[in-house]
Amino acid sequence: MKVSLHVVPPPRDAPALPASTVRLSEPMLRFRCNQKGCCCSGWDIPFRLEDFLRLHDNLPDGERAALRRGIQLVLEKGDREGEQILHSLKLDGVGEDRACRFLSPEGACSVHARHGLDALPDLCVDFPAFGYRQGERVELWFDPVCPEVIERLDESAAPLRIHEQAGAFGDPGFDLRVAHTSDKLGGRIGDRAVEVAALDRIRALSLEAFSVSERPVWRTLAALAHAYRRLRIGNEAAFEVVEPEDPQPFVRFLGDSIAAHGPDLLAASVARYRRFIHAIDAGPLLAADRLPAALREWQPALERWVAPEEDALRPLASRWLAHRFAIPMLKGRGELRESCDGIVHLYAVSLRYAAAFGETLQRPVDRTLYKVAIGSAEFFYRSLNLPRDVLPWFAAG
Ligand code: SF4
């Protein structure tokens, strides 16, 4: 079928939207991509038209023809009868991994290396950060599916802090991410948006809860789940983090969450996540099909390989979960109670993976192995909760 397109290029060099302050988890100030290309394969890269045109302009003449091959147009229905609007262009991936055609064999981005940050599609500049904006205030949230985000969370045992940046970072990668931010900052109780001041207080108290260093992580989560579940429209100001008198309902919820998923599904998800695993050699973990059996028999494995390490893992687990509660919206404008339950569920999946990894490798779960479990849980969680058409690419394979 032939499609005729009426191309109206968007204005170039639009001025960046200003931000008076930018908040982000403090360790993310030191985020740098590892240049190993983990997120540059496993999908067909979607470009917006302006990204495509910018890249086209930056490429030398000899490479432009190749850019125009292997493109799928993603069209959306327009308002008028029969009208189709171009949503994005997908560049066919290369090889079995559907890798980006600009990925160099070493894993670095050849467009970035040869033409600089300005030539890259916005998506490639922004990931793993997602930006949220309220007027001139911006928040950048870094997605722990990226192994370097988890590395930054693991760089200290101190309670996680939020950094507030006044004005520009002076780092083009960060400043461009801020400039690209347009999604609205927000959280909901039911259908009703929570005022930003109340949302800030809820998040600050949630973060503070993880700074009680001697308290087991599950008890902090029990206190938070108790507090979030009591949230009602109009009572946001009464939010306080206090442990429930009877923790048993929470313990049952956590146990059910750990047990919730089929071992084969969990194991298949780790295999897809493999390209993000750099902290350990993933070969022995995925070899010989031992992982599904270990995921099935997770209870004794949890007792043997994870429980004795709980104190050693607590700072990392606390910083990861605090990072998640700093922006408890798993989606842009998430329901707060659902988001809290979602984070508990995510933690539960990380425990199941940690137990199974320990059993498969026959070793106690140290921080390195737990980082792989966190990333695997983050990756799995995405494929579980969202409809396929809104899945991030790395979960849609
Ligand atoms: S997942 Fe993170 S570290 Fe890996 S290539 Fe992507 S941005 Fe870089």
Side-chain angles (χ1 to χ4, degrees), residues 31-40 107 124 127-128 143 145-149 177 275-276 278 393:
F31 171 82
R32 298 291 176 273
C33 168
N34 62 20
Q35 302 289 321
K36 290 181 179 162
C38 3
C39 60
C40 309
C124 305
F127 190 79
D143 190 332
V145 82
C146 162
E148 287 302 313
V149 170
R177 287 178 173 109
R275 63 184 182 275
F276 292 80
H278 306 291
W393 66 90

Side-chain angles (χ1 to χ4, degrees), residues 19-34:
S20 57
T21 60
V22 183
R23 292 186 192 195
L24 70 170
S25 288
E26 191 278 337
M28 299 309 140
L29 286 170
R30 292 171 292 287
F31 171 82
R32 298 291 176 273
C33 168
N34 62 20

Side-chain angles (χ1 to χ4, degrees), residues 287-359:
D289 244 10
R290 286 192 308 235
L291 188 57
L295 284 160
R296 193 169 295 115
E297 299 299 324
W298 59 270
Q299 273 157 317
L302 193 68
E303 285 304 312
R304 181 171 180 197
W305 303 115
V306 184
E309 311 307 318
E310 191 184 322
D311 287 350
L313 298 178
R314 189 179 304 148
L316 170 60
S318 297
R319 282 164 64 88
W320 167 47
L321 294 167
H323 177 74
R324 274 225 155 259
F325 272 96
I327 183 155
M329 295 71 78
L330 294 178
K331 297 174 265 175
R333 289 178 60 72
E335 213 281 343
L336 295 184
R337 297 164 299 189
E338 254 178 56
S339 294
C340 175
D341 283 352
I343 296 170
V344 174
H345 195 91
L346 190 58
Y347 174 64
V349 176
S350 82
L351 292 180
R352 175 94 170 263
Y353 274 132
F357 293 171
E359 177 65 21

Side-chain angles (χ1 to χ4, degrees), residues 44 53 58 60 71 102 132 154 157 163 191 206 224 249 282 293 298 307 315 351 382 384 395:
D44 298 326
L53 295 174
N58 273 283
I71 296 177
F102 297 108
Y132 299 96
D154 188 38
H163 171 82
D191 290 339
S206 306
L224 284 166
W298 59 270
L351 292 180
R382 280 154 187 72
L384 185 71

